[in-house]
Amino acid sequence: MAEKVLMKGNEAIGEAAVVAGCRHYFGYPITPQTELTEYMSRRMPQVDGTFLQAESEIAAINMVYGASGAGARVMTSSSSPGISLKMEGISYAAGAQLPCVIVNMMRGGPGLGSIQPSQSDYFQATKGGGHGDYRLIVLAPNSVQELVDMTILAFDLADEYRNPVMILGDGALGQMMEPIVFPVIDKKPIEKPWAAVGMKKRKTPNIINSLFLKPEKLEEHNQVLQANYKKITAEQVRFEKVLTDDADLILVAYGITSRIARTAIDIVRSEGYKVGLFRPISLWPFPSAPLQELGQSAKAFLTLELSAGQLVEDVKLAVNGVRPVHFYGRTGGMIMSPKEVAEQIKKVLSFEGGK
Amino acid sequence: MTVVFKRPESLLDVPFHYCPGCHHGIIHRLVAEIIDELGVRENTIGVAPVGCSVLAYDYFNVDMLEAAHGRAPAVATGVKRVHPDSVVFTYQGDGDLAAIGCAEIIHAAARGENFTTIFVNNAIYGMTGGQMAPTTLIDQVTTTSPYGRSLQNTGHPIHVCELLSTIESAVYVARVAVNNPANMTKAKAAIKTAFQHQLNGDGFAIVEVLSTCPTNWGMAPLKANKWLEDNMMKVFPLGVYKSLEVKKDVK
């Protein structure tokens, strides 16, 4: 087992990508994820890889499209306004079934917003962002170790399902330092017979494409994509439950907010309140069924997020009116404190009953 | 019997969708002939554009990627960085390259990306039905310049070769036409030179090919050819705007 090292979140993602066999990175600096771009500029040449600072986020994601179409493991990263620019390319990559890893270290928005942590790109990440019926696999780590593990997982999932995967973090996760261990990988890279690599001795050309002018053909292609999404939904739902067995109230939170929620639970549990945490790890596919199941034992849910309320919509859909779903959020780059969350918990419980 | 003329192996045996009199078919054929002549078909990766030639991958018998509008140079950059020994080309129209993809082509040239761009300039947006392009001539009537392109309102056409020839890392920049057999021969030579620069690892090369759009210009093919000669060639003069050899001579 490798030894523990202390690393910043953004840089840990970069090293995890190297461990995962990524040798091509195309990016553009934006706070608060720039350390990742900088790390790749140092690291890629050391492993005979490509680091390229593109002229824009749009160019960067299209370089990713080209590299992925040519069969490489490839990554790009950005933060909220930059991810908006990448959305055109992400829709094309999803349409052409190209595996790639996209990191979004969210910051406050809309527009130029701020450089402080936020979770207000949830809709964009899980419900589209670009045009057309497509889905990204969206993973939401909550520690630097998970940034590492999920970055490696992201490359495998991307290749397995031929679909872009997004690591949805935030400015706080990117900037924090924690001790981590890099796993040792001994997996063989997956074959990509579909890639455009030059025909060599192949009889027919490989075409990377998302254009289908005949509506019947495009519908057929959409059905292929939807079947893949159905498969992903059946196989890749990820979540964590903490102290939910006896809980009257279930907090629902992902990423950095789930850590704040965890501390808040300790505060209120010491005062006798029965509160647990449900943490979606895959934001898409969303863990609806296990969340719905908790509605049988808990009296209510409280969704916590650094947004004006986006995750809460998926929580409500999952709970489907069986239990009340409350919401507490901060916006603009403000981070809620555990004490603040504890107060919200007590408020909800005094309304819904139970201690 | 000796075969003296046949379909290039790099071109699939399917009918083109291009309008009668459009030059895309000729330009496709020239590119395919050169890929054959250089013996690189099995190692070539093309990047198709958005625009009339959006279906280029249906015609070339090589691996291809369809790019988003204007992004072909970025896509080609990704491909070439993964397979530096492959032969990569982009095939782009004027709306694609000179409007929405202006940044991508300038920066690919500035980085000296070692691929070849075929730039087809017909002074109009063809696929969407004849709107004004950055290359539309002053006073030219299009569906979005119905009173003629106004200098005051929309400025001058963009001269892509002149612009890119100022970029140090562009090694070969030429403008050609395929309006008659003599020019086709010159065009073929230019395209071949551009590919040869790539094979030598010299850097970015682009060949602009002036082309007709009889349908959207509202002209019969022969009249369109004449209009190209009388009008487009005056605004977009043919010639080699930059070549590695010339640069060496200057030094």
Side-chain angles (χ1 to χ4, degrees), chain A residues 10 13 25 30-34 36 57 75-87 90 101-109 114 116-126 128-129 136-141 147 151 154 165-174 254-255 283 310:
Chain A
N10 284 332
I13 295 172
Y25 173 91
I30 180 172
T31 310
Q33 66 79 51
T34 301
L36 174 49
E57 287 88 346
M75 184 167 87
T76 188
S77 62
S78 194
S79 180
S80 309
I83 293 291
S84 293
L85 287 171
K86 287 185 197 290
M87 278 301 162
I90 292 172
V101 175
I102 302 145
V103 178
N104 181 5
M105 287 301 183
M106 290 181 279
R107 60 188 247 183
S114 74
Q116 304 302 325
S118 170
Q119 294 181 319
S120 52
D121 301 353
Y122 179 90
F123 283 158
Q124 188 193 45
T126 62
L136 303 177
I137 299 172
V138 183
L139 302 175
L147 286 176
T151 297
V165 178
M166 180 175 277
I167 300 289
L168 194 66
D170 64 78
L173 275 174
Y254 69 96
L283 298 184
Q310 299 188 17

Side-chain angles (χ1 to χ4, degrees), chain B residues 130-132 136-137 139-150:
Chain B
Q131 294 77 30
M132 191 188 80
T136 293
L137 309 188
D139 294 331
Q140 186 181 338
V141 172
T142 74
T143 60
T144 51
S145 56
Y147 309 110
R149 179 176 182 167
S150 136

Side-chain angles (χ1 to χ4, degrees), chain A residues 24 26 50-56 58-60 62-72 88-89 92 98 195-213, chain B residues 12 41-46 50 54-55 57-58 60-69 71-83 86 100 103-108 111 113 127:
Chain A
H24 294 84
F26 303 95
T50 298
F51 165 83
L52 190 54
Q53 183 173 320
E55 64 269 29
S56 69
I58 299 170
N62 281 283
M63 289 169 187
V64 167
Y65 177 101
S68 173
E88 173 195 73
Y92 276 74
L98 293 181
V197 297
M199 289 173 73
K200 315 298 174 199
K201 299 289 167 203
R202 207 184 327 110
K203 290 271 180 281
T204 51
N206 278 350
I207 310 296
I208 305 298
N209 187 23
S210 60
L211 179 74
F212 299 87
L213 287 174
Chain B
L12 293 163
R41 188 184 69 83
E42 293 186 327
N43 197 29
T44 294
I45 305 167
V50 171
V54 72
L55 300 174
Y57 53 78
D58 278 345
F60 286 105
N61 189 18
V62 301
D63 278 5
M64 290 197 78
L65 297 94
E66 179 62 64
H69 200 196
R71 318 297 176 214
V75 171
T77 298
V79 173
K80 189 73 184 190
R81 296 298 178 113
V82 174
H83 300 293
S86 62
I100 193 166
E104 280 79 2
I105 198 67
I106 287 175
H107 285 273
R111 287 191 301 267
E113 292 294 341
M127 188 189 225

Side-chain angles (χ1 to χ4, degrees), chain A residues 13-27:
Chain A
I13 295 172
E15 191 56 34
V18 172
V19 170
C22 170
R23 292 295 177 272
H24 294 84
Y25 173 91
F26 303 95

Side-chain angles (χ1 to χ4, degrees), chain A residues 197-346:
Chain A
V197 297
M199 289 173 73
K200 315 298 174 199
K201 299 289 167 203
R202 207 184 327 110
K203 290 271 180 281
T204 51
N206 278 350
I207 310 296
I208 305 298
N209 187 23
S210 60
L211 179 74
F212 299 87
L213 287 174
K214 290 187 178 136
E216 298 85 354
K217 289 284 167 200
L218 182 56
E219 184 168 56
E220 224 172 82
H221 178 63
N222 268 286
Q223 282 162 353
V224 168
L225 296 180
Q226 292 303 322
N228 195 34
Y229 300 147
K230 206 173 163 188
K231 192 164 183 279
I232 296 168
T233 305
E235 296 171 353
Q236 296 301 336
V237 166
R238 287 180 157 77
F239 61 93
E240 183 192 21
K241 290 193 286 190
V242 185
L243 301 172
T244 52
D245 287 351
D246 66 340
D248 292 323
L249 179 70
I250 305 287
L251 306 185
V252 187
Y254 69 96
I256 192 72
T257 314
S258 67
R259 306 236 331 224
I260 300 164
R262 186 66 193 82
T263 310
I265 287 170
D266 285 344
I267 295 172
V268 297
R269 283 239 170 212
S270 71
E271 297 169 32
Y273 294 94
K274 288 178 181 168
V275 179
L277 169 68
F278 183 86
R279 171 166 80 104
I281 295 174
S282 59
L283 298 184
W284 195 90
F286 189 76
S288 297
L291 185 57
Q292 190 182 29
E293 209 175 289
L294 285 178
Q296 289 170 8
S297 54
K299 290 190 171 70
F301 294 84
L302 170 59
T303 305
L304 303 165
E305 45 184 322
L306 301 180
S307 86
Q310 299 188 17
L311 167 71
V312 66
E313 294 192 6
D314 279 341
V315 175
K316 281 185 178 173
L317 279 173
V319 173
N320 199 20
V322 175
R323 292 283 180 266
V325 176
H326 297 264
F327 164 74
Y328 182 68
R330 296 295 302 265
T331 61
M334 295 298 292
I335 295 187
M336 56 186 75
S337 68
K339 213 177 135 197
E340 199 177 328
V341 173
E343 281 165 24
Q344 290 300 319
I345 291 170
K346 289 175 198 171

Side-chain angles (χ1 to χ4, degrees), chain B residues 145-218:
Chain B
S145 56
Y147 309 110
R149 179 176 182 167
S150 136
L151 177 60
Q152 198 184 16
N153 193 29
T154 55
H156 287 278
I158 288 180
H159 297 79
V160 168
C161 282
E162 289 82 341
L163 183 69
L164 292 183
S165 63
T166 65
I167 292 177
E168 282 176 298
S169 304
V171 294
Y172 184 74
V173 180
R175 184 181 290 128
V176 299
V178 291
N179 59 311
N180 60 41
N183 276 345
M184 280 181 216
T185 307
K186 286 184 201 165
K188 186 173 169 183
I191 295 169
K192 194 165 189 173
T193 304
F195 273 92
Q196 273 163 339
H197 277 299
Q198 182 178 173
L199 292 175
N200 294 345
D202 295 333
F204 181 76
I206 180 169
V207 178
E208 173 176 347
V209 189
L210 299 187
S211 170
T212 56
C213 184
T215 300
N216 288 309
W217 290 356

